[in-house]
Amino acid sequence: HRKMAATRQEREAITRTYAIVTRDLKPSDVIDEMLAEQLLTTSEHEDIEIEKNRRTAARKTLSALQTKRSGSFDKFIRILLRTSGQEQIAEEILKIYTPMTNVVDLPGNPIEEEKLSVAVKEEGSPEPLASSQPVSHSEEESLPVHVPQPMVSSNPDDPQFGLTEYVDGTYDIENETTDTASPTYPMKSNPRGLAIIINNKVFHGRMKKREGTDLDAENLYSLFQWLGFEVKLFHNLTGKKMVQTVKEASKLDFRSRDCLIIAILSHGIEGKLYGTDEELIPVDEIPKYFNGYNCPTLVGKPKIFLLQACRGGTFDYGVEETDSPFEKETAQPSSQEMLKAAEQYYKRSAKEWEAVDGKVQVIPAEADIAVLYATVPGYVSWRNSAFGSWFIKVFVDTMFDLAQKEHFTDILLEVNQRVAIQYTSRDGNKQMPQLQHQLRKKLHFSPLYRRPK
């Protein structure tokens, strides 16, 4: 039988009870039984067991629980109820969460273990999800309130993605179906997709620390959670680790997800991004890991890349800072250096396959990709140590304002307008973001929660 993923109700319950559980849970008291009940894998159990910080171990326990099958949260509550010293946590959870099954042994209503692995609905009757159309006011009011989870940094050597690796040869595109007639991309999976944030702040050598970037990362983390994405955050990656992280993500099986977002916050020059070790990564290389050849389970699905970095050598040194890697005293890059940095990778003329109602349709290899640059070629992007970068701040604010009403490219027009009109540096410099995209349809993100007040 196919294992049913955790329901929206369960995931929301984990989010709402996050503060209670991370505050009071003693993972060492419950993880052995969770392993026996298949609520943890062996590697997850070992990772939690060796974690010295109790609160961090509790967060890891909840993160693992979110990826398990329907009924797992009820099993977790039951374990708490029968574990000495943990009963009060279960009682607090039950004040704000109604289990799908009986978790306490009441007179005339015995616990039935088998029910805990079965969702309320019959298997094959999917849980209703938000549509990929704009959300009306009445629909928005029916959505749950979003309770942001604290940011959790991921280990690039063991990122613990909520998706399994795609095994080559198991994916038959002809057995997949998509609605080619629809003018919008589907955005119904839960989670909606995977969002990766790479936040490079501390560099080596001549490069400046990127003050304010942590606020950018925090704002993006909150936004992507609100949109309904699984979010993975990585800090201060070398060039090699950046490539490794992107490659690992491209190997995942995205059949149960509708979208991918990758945001990179770093220093840069035209055409390339810096790792913290000053290694340059070609920008064009990143989306290619997710084309039809390298990531077939994302075929026909939107792939969004946000790049907060400079793209040239026009500098200003007022109160705000730029995302240029060069100090004021350092000579500006030569034209030869800039030309070398702008070298484009060879773009192969290839085809990508998309299944349409059992028939194979040919679409361009680089379709369904959007790259959002903080600035146009040749220019710096601006960042303030107090509120973060202009581009990321406006992008996050505008998405919160419009994501439930407008499609993505229209939202980005508003982002361009706000950055261009509302922001000016101390010395009168401006900034113009740039969108390069090969999207074929309208993209409505359909957030899973109400807009934050």
Side-chain angles (χ1 to χ4, degrees):
H1 289 284
R2 174 175 58 88
K3 289 186 177 181
M4 297 180 67
T7 65
R8 183 194 302 180
Q9 179 189 5
E10 290 174 291
R11 283 188 287 270
E12 288 169 2
I14 293 172
T15 298
R16 293 171 63 196
T17 59
Y18 186 90
I20 297 170
V21 177
T22 55
R23 182 192 67 201
D24 298 331
L25 180 68
K26 293 181 179 178
S28 58
D29 291 350
V30 298
I31 59 173
D32 288 347
E33 192 165 356
M34 290 180 70
L35 178 64
E37 294 278 1
Q38 298 184 335
L39 301 185
L40 295 175
T41 64
T42 302
S43 61
E44 288 168 343
H45 179 274
E46 291 175 352
D47 185 40
I48 296 168
E49 189 174 38
I50 64 175
E51 175 58 56
K52 295 180 180 179
N53 185 289
R54 184 202 59 79
R55 192 178 289 266
T56 301
R59 285 198 293 264
K60 289 182 177 181
T61 303
L62 282 183
S63 296
L65 196 59
Q66 283 183 308
T67 66
K68 300 304 183 290
R69 63 184 297 173
S70 173
S72 293
F73 194 54
D74 287 8
K75 277 189 176 183
F76 175 65
I77 295 173
R78 183 175 294 179
I79 291 172
L80 293 175
L81 284 170
R82 61 183 180 231
T83 302
S84 177
Q86 303 292 281
E87 309 96 320
Q88 188 174 354
I89 302 175
E91 291 167 3
E92 291 293 321
I93 291 173
L94 292 172
K95 290 178 182 178
I96 56 177
Y97 166 68
T98 302
M100 297 185 298
T101 55
N102 299 319
V103 296
V104 291
D105 210 348
L106 299 176
N109 191 16
I111 294 173
E112 299 178 47
E113 293 288 342
E114 294 77 11
K115 289 185 178 180
L116 291 172
S117 62
V118 182
V120 173
K121 302 178 182 62
E122 293 291 333
E123 186 165 349
S125 175
E127 172 192 3
L129 298 170
S131 72
S132 55
Q133 300 297 325
V135 179
S136 67
H137 177 72
S138 60
E139 288 174 326
E140 181 183 348
E141 288 302 309
S142 67
L143 294 174
V145 175
H146 179 224
V147 180
Q149 296 185 23
M151 287 200 305
V152 177
S153 298
S154 296
N155 178 358
D157 294 321
D158 186 21
Q160 295 289 314
F161 291 119
L163 292 167
T164 58
E165 185 173 332
Y166 164 64
V167 180
D168 189 30
T170 65
Y171 182 62
D172 186 353
I173 187 69
E174 294 192 34
N175 290 333
E176 300 297 313
T177 58
T178 59
D179 184 3
T180 187
S182 173
T184 62
Y185 288 106
M187 193 60 67
K188 301 178 181 180
S189 67
N190 191 352
R192 295 290 190 245
L194 173 64
I196 295 172
I197 304 169
I198 297 176
N199 178 37
N200 287 345
K201 178 180 181 179
V202 181
F203 292 76
H204 311 296
R206 62 178 178 167
M207 294 185 181
K208 299 176 294 183
K209 181 185 290 187
R210 298 183 60 255
E211 300 290 356
T213 189
D214 288 342
L215 186 58
D216 284 344
E218 182 179 344
N219 288 337
L220 287 171
Y221 197 98
S222 177
L223 171 67
F224 297 152
Q225 277 192 339
W226 174 68
L227 292 174
F229 282 70
E230 174 197 353
V231 188
K232 292 294 180 180
L233 171 63
F234 302 90
H235 288 293
N236 299 320
L237 300 188
T238 63
K240 182 178 179 180
K241 289 293 185 184
M242 290 170 68
V243 172
Q244 174 187 310
T245 300
V246 171
K247 278 186 175 180
E248 288 301 314
S250 72
K251 296 176 184 177
L252 299 175
D253 189 336
F254 286 92
R255 279 176 284 184
S256 62
R257 303 290 188 269
D258 286 333
C259 185
L260 169 76
I261 302 176
I262 294 181
I264 301 179
L265 318 174
S266 192
H267 284 309
I269 55 178
E270 174 57 24
K272 298 191 179 183
L273 299 168
Y274 279 98
T276 55
D277 58 349
E278 300 188 13
E279 181 180 352
L280 284 165
I281 306 302
V283 170
D284 284 354
E285 184 177 304
I286 297 169
K288 286 187 180 296
Y289 287 115
F290 299 93
N291 67 20
Y293 291 105
N294 296 318
C295 190
T297 56
L298 271 177
V299 168
K301 300 177 181 181
K303 298 162 277 279
I304 312 299
F305 302 87
L306 287 84
L307 305 178
Q308 170 54 45
C310 282
R311 301 179 70 192
T314 303
F315 302 99
D316 181 88
Y317 299 95
V319 174
E320 280 88 357
E321 299 179 31
T322 74
D323 271 323
S324 162
F326 303 99
E327 295 285 4
K328 183 175 181 180
E329 299 81 13
T330 305
Q332 293 189 16
S334 65
S335 58
Q336 183 179 6
E337 182 179 359
M338 294 303 298
L339 286 172
K340 185 177 179 181
E343 287 177 354
Q344 300 294 315
Y345 265 43
Y346 174 68
K347 294 184 177 180
R348 56 193 171 189
S349 175
K351 296 178 179 180
E352 181 174 293
W353 303 94
E354 178 184 34
V356 182
D357 300 329
K359 298 179 181 179
V360 175
Q361 174 181 331
V362 180
I363 60 176
E366 306 302 329
D368 310 302
I369 290 174
V371 182
L372 286 61
Y373 294 97
T375 188
V376 293
Y379 286 83
V380 299
S381 61
W382 292 87
R383 173 173 36 81
N384 183 284
S385 60
F387 63 76
S389 65
W390 296 1
F391 171 64
I392 296 298
K393 184 179 189 310
V394 171
F395 175 78
V396 170
D397 290 347
T398 309
M399 285 290 288
F400 274 124
D401 289 344
L402 301 178
Q404 287 175 321
K405 298 180 288 186
E406 305 288 346
H407 65 82
F408 191 50
T409 51
D410 276 359
I411 293 172
L412 295 179
L413 289 177
E414 180 64 20
V415 171
N416 285 357
Q417 173 74 353
R418 293 184 184 184
V419 173
I421 300 302
Q422 297 177 7
Y423 287 84
T424 305
S425 77
R426 177 180 175 179
D427 291 343
N429 287 280
K430 305 292 285 185
Q431 179 174 325
M432 188 70 241
Q434 182 182 41
L435 166 66
Q436 293 181 349
H437 80 89
Q438 296 86 252
L439 298 177
R440 298 176 297 122
K441 303 178 181 183
K442 292 183 178 181
L443 172 55
H444 292 283
F445 275 102
S446 303
L448 290 176
Y449 304 97
R450 293 184 218 172
R451 284 174 293 179
K453 300 296 183 183

